Amino acid sequence: MAKPLSNTVDKGAANRGALVSDFTRQLVPILPLLVLIVVFLIWPIVNVAIMAFEDNYGNFTFDNFVVASQGVYAQAFGNSISLGIYSALLASIPGAVFAYIIESRGSEFLKRIINSATSVLANSGGVPLAFMFIAAFGAEGSATVLLKAIGLDIYAGGFTLFSYWGLVLVYCFFQIPIMVLVFSPAVQALRREWTEAARSLGASKWQYWRHVGFPLLFPSFSASFLLLFASAFSAYATARAMTVGTIALVPLMIGTLIDGNVIVDQFNLGKALAIGMVLVTALAMVPYLLIQRRVARWQK
Amino acid sequence: MKRLGFKLPSAGLFIAVLLAGVFVLLPLGSASEYSFRTPALGPGTYGWDNYAWFVSQPDFGTFITLSLLLAAVAAGITLLVLVPTVVWLNLRGQKLRPLMEFLTLLPLVIPVVALAIGAQTSLPVELQSNQYSLSFFYFVLALPYTYRTLDIGIRAIPLKTLSEAARSLGASQIKVIALVLAPVVRGAVIASVFLTIALSLGEFTLTSLLHWQTFTTWVTVISQSNILGAIALSVFTIVAAFALLLVVGLVSIRTKRRQVTEE
Amino acid sequence: MRFKRFAAAAVAVVAAAGMSLTFAAPSQAAINYCKVTDLQSSANGMNGLVAAAKKEGVLNVITLPRDWANYGEAMDLFSKAFGIKINDDNPDGSSAYELQTIATATADKQPDVVDIGVSALNSVTGPGRPSIFANYKVQNFADIPAEWKDAGGAWYGDYNGIIAIAYDSSVSPAPKKISDLTNAAYKGQVALGGDPSAAQEAFMSVFAAAIAKGGSVTNIQPGIDFFKTLKQNGNFTSVLANGANYVSGAYKISLSWNFNAPGAIASAKAAGKTLKYVIPSDVALQGTPYIQAINKKAPHCAAARLWEEFIYSENKGKTSDKITAADKKLPGQALFNTILGGQNIFVSGGATPITVKAMTKKGLLIKAPAGLDVPKSAKLVMPSPDNQAAGKSLVTSQWPNL
């Protein structure tokens, strides 16, 4: 039996229900987090976003956005979006399988090792990351030399680390750990009882995955996929160290426009590109939310 | 820990760990080979010289301590603010989840250089002049990972059922969170705290753009004309962060065991 | 709602713990050196300036790499001789970062002095714009050519460089001119130190290639085409040319300012590599001088002015490793006369100091590092800021599709 006192929250809420919308009521407890996000992220960015609508003299204009959606900038958006998708595709599946294997078979000790390692690796990037791969797979890298010794010359077929696909490969070094890290809790939540229940009801492996495992994991998988997309879409330092700008990518252009030594004609173009990145992310949320809704219905 | 899914051949685990080991150690090992080179003693010789060099730098300890402190504060914010919020969202904030998912993706896609400019033009000077403001930025930058890790971990647990059961037994809301829900979401909480710490220890771009000196920015200053020393420092940073988190993780397994036996 | 209060209290606790910590107030000089516009009109001369700067004890510089034009020695010498601690904010940062910092950083983090590119200068100066720099004429102001200084002393050029070819000693045959770089022996070995649409050194390298291949200061296209050819024949690799990548063998040849040579050669040697520099025999591309200026918001006004006097000093004198305890006790003017001047430190770093003509006349130039002589056959050119602006828009649109 519920004690009347501890139930006041719900009762009060129900009484006010007619006056206060569900949404606002749900909003109150997350205010501390919202405040931090607003102060340390949204407010600063809004200040920058306003500048995206200004010309060099502070007058209102759409010109920055017009330029940002044309020519080499449009191409950069295309490249960055495809890089995000390929990288997410390539990293999500091995990451998910690895997470599943570790969570289902690994000892507690192994899990801690994996957990610590993935936390660190997920945050690797930039010049040091590029260097690690150069040290291994560069023209004189240890792996290259090793493979050559057993008769496999990876540079014979025109391979180069410093290209679009080279980036996709190097990004795996932080993308797969991100996937493992974010997806593991979902696998952990696949409770043993469900497997056993399914088994005792005579479900085959295929049936279990089709009706229990997959539907339960899919929302988490798509949430992780979206994160991987955003992560590769926006990666900056590693790409800069490996391409010196020879591939059109939005984050590189923003860096050049806002922080380059070569000063640009349109001061605020870089800010317009930054807003463009936020818009692409918002658009990427749409298919994601549709999938989530679909799955929610399916689970019922 | 008992296994969760259908039986997997233990070879599967072995192969997975082996592949992951190669995947991580090949680049890391190749880089560290350079960090042990001692050209002063002749080609092909190895030693700890490059590591001894940075450890002997006068500010080494100061900046490590500072970075650890900032990371600890950021981890504290994750624990005190983010964890309760995600639990709440899963209990009865369902409608807000799409909004939160979008908001927590933003730190990843907003270019840090733009964030730095915005922060300096818009935040009060008192806030900007306080070095602990960095911890708040680290917390926000870690959100894309920490929020998802927590949300995914908590999402699949029947929180509502658990908390209602506890409450019907007379537990208060805080007690429900502290005693019933916290242990269940433990794995996801540890992962998110780890992520915050790792990100805080390694963050360079924003720290530098906001003109602060931490371990990472100090590293770039001192290693400017010492190529092998710089490589040694980056290897050290990765390995030390891993070791630190591993120790924290192992301690948490122990305390968990103790709790279990006490109960 | 108990839960809400719990979370809110948590935020408050964390925030309070953070906010109660130190706030460093900018130090203040006894005499207001922020208003001093030259040393001649200042009552105490160099002795007073040195004393005031020593009292401030700190100098904030920004984006000065140690290997760059021997800035490492300049900072060490200044710091050691005058007992002034130097904070170097973001040594690998750009000119845009310097200007951004002046525009946005809080008072205590403002740089005292900047060293920026000409195009960055042009973005903040011009008719009708309030100056962000303090007027100060160094003692050798007259020795700076008129086209490279502001008549009022708001800014002045300090040094410039020439694009050189840097190569590993193992490269065979040794490259002598830029057009040599198409040689099939250099497969996968040629790199640049940055993105030409963002980094000045890489941008000027493309300009150098343009002139070597029949272009001019008004026509950078042959330079872009040259790198396109190098990429197609596999010689150009888009790895970032930096110390670690060089040591790992990811590239062996790069184009670089000659004033990076002494530092880079020493760093490479410490890592077990032999790096060589040569000025290409087909083109000696001179960069426009970098620009020194004192920030109007400088937190250390005396130290900032002393730094400029030091940078424009043409003295021959002691380097940082030769300074003795007795030297440090000398009165300001005597101490200043004892140490090697900034213009000569640039010379020892391989750069051309802005006062080179006056110094040659006075016989004050020290010996430049060997091996960086400009070959007689090389065309000596310097793209003007306008040439650079025109070239830049071509590079911005074409480089990403190289």
Side-chain angles (χ1 to χ4, degrees), chain A residues 5-6 8-9 13 16 25 28-33 35-36 40 56-57 72-73 75 79 127 130-131 134-135 138-141 155 158 160 162-163 239-249 252-253 255-265 267 271, chain C residues 1-4 7-8 11 19 90 93-100 117 119-121 123 129 187-188 192-200 203 231 236-242 244-245 247-250 252 273 388-389 392-393 396-402:
Chain A
L5 257 177
S6 62
T8 45
V9 177
R16 283 196 309 273
R25 207 150 27 90
V28 176
I30 66 163
L31 273 182
L33 179 62
V35 166
L36 289 186
F40 292 97
N56 293 356
Y57 307 97
V72 74
Y73 301 108
Q75 194 195 349
N79 285 348
V127 172
F131 177 74
I134 290 165
E140 293 179 3
Y155 279 84
T160 167
F162 313 106
S163 61
R240 168 131 282 167
M242 293 183 57
T243 70
V244 294
T246 50
I247 299 169
L249 294 171
L252 293 191
M253 296 193 157
T256 298
L257 291 168
I258 299 186
D259 195 32
N261 269 314
V262 183
I263 303 291
V264 285
D265 306 329
F267 295 164
K271 287 148 196 158
Chain C
M1 221 174 249
R2 260 170 276 179
F3 175 73
K4 182 193 90 185
V11 176
M19 299 312 144
N90 194 1
S94 62
S95 293
Y97 175 81
E98 299 184 58
L99 298 178
Q100 192 66 53
S119 50
L121 175 75
S123 74
R129 287 222 181 132
K187 196 166 182 344
L192 282 179
D195 172 353
S197 59
Q200 187 71 6
F203 177 54
K231 196 188 176 199
F236 179 66
T237 170
S238 69
V239 65
L240 180 72
N242 68 15
N245 293 346
V247 168
S248 72
K252 292 183 192 300
K273 287 270 187 175
Q388 293 180 34
K392 176 218 64 201
S393 44
T396 308
S397 61
Q398 293 185 30
W399 190 261
N401 286 313
L402 197 72

Side-chain angles (χ1 to χ4, degrees), chain A residues 1 29 104 142 181 195 234 288, chain B residues 3-4 30 88 101 108 168:
Chain A
M1 275 307 272
S104 57
S142 49
L181 204 69
T195 351
S234 58
Y288 166 71
Chain B
R3 61 170 188 276
L4 302 164
S30 304
W88 168 264
E101 289 204 43
L108 201 52
S168 71

Side-chain angles (χ1 to χ4, degrees), chain A residues 24-104:
Chain A
T24 346
R25 207 150 27 90
Q26 291 188 2
L27 204 61
V28 176
I30 66 163
L31 273 182
L33 179 62
L34 275 184
V35 166
L36 289 186
I37 294 181
V38 167
V39 172
F40 292 97
L41 186 74
I42 307 295
W43 175 240
I45 285 307
V46 166
N47 273 274
V48 173
I50 292 169
M51 291 188 251
F53 293 95
E54 287 175 358
D55 63 16
N56 293 356
Y57 307 97
N59 304 316
F60 179 83
T61 180
F62 278 115
D63 282 1
N64 298 319
F65 288 93
V66 173
V67 176
S69 59
Q70 289 171 349
V72 74
Y73 301 108
Q75 194 195 349
F77 271 106
N79 285 348
S80 286
I81 291 170
S82 73
L83 184 64
I85 293 172
Y86 284 129
S87 174
L89 279 174
L90 204 69
S92 58
I93 294 166
V97 170
F98 186 75
Y100 182 79
I101 293 175
I102 296 300
E103 283 301 331
S104 57

Side-chain angles (χ1 to χ4, degrees), chain C residues 271-323:
Chain C
K273 287 270 187 175
T274 308
L275 183 63
K276 292 184 169 175
Y277 271 76
V278 65
I279 306 287
S281 63
D282 44 1
V283 55
L285 189 106
Q286 278 188 299
T288 37
Y290 281 84
I291 304 292
Q292 279 288 327
I294 298 174
N295 181 6
K296 217 172 210 170
K297 303 184 203 166
H300 313 101
C301 290
R305 280 155 181 77
L306 180 58
W307 172 259
E308 295 304 354
E309 291 293 356
F310 168 68
I311 288 297
Y312 286 90
S313 160
E314 297 162 359
N315 290 346
K316 291 179 174 178
K318 291 186 176 178
T319 48
S320 62
D321 52 334
K322 303 265 163 50
I323 296 283

Side-chain angles (χ1 to χ4, degrees), chain A residues 112-145:
Chain A
R112 283 288 172 263
I113 292 182
I114 301 289
N115 202 204
S116 308
T118 49
S119 303
V120 176
L121 298 176
N123 284 301
S124 59
V127 172
L129 175 63
F131 177 74
M132 285 198 276
F133 271 82
I134 290 165
F137 299 104
E140 293 179 3
S142 49
T144 313
V145 173

Side-chain angles (χ1 to χ4, degrees), chain C residues 341-360:
Chain C
Q343 293 289 300
N344 265 328
I345 294 177
F346 290 144
V347 174
S348 65
T352 311
I354 195 86
T355 61
V356 65
K357 276 189 184 147
M359 287 171 80
T360 314

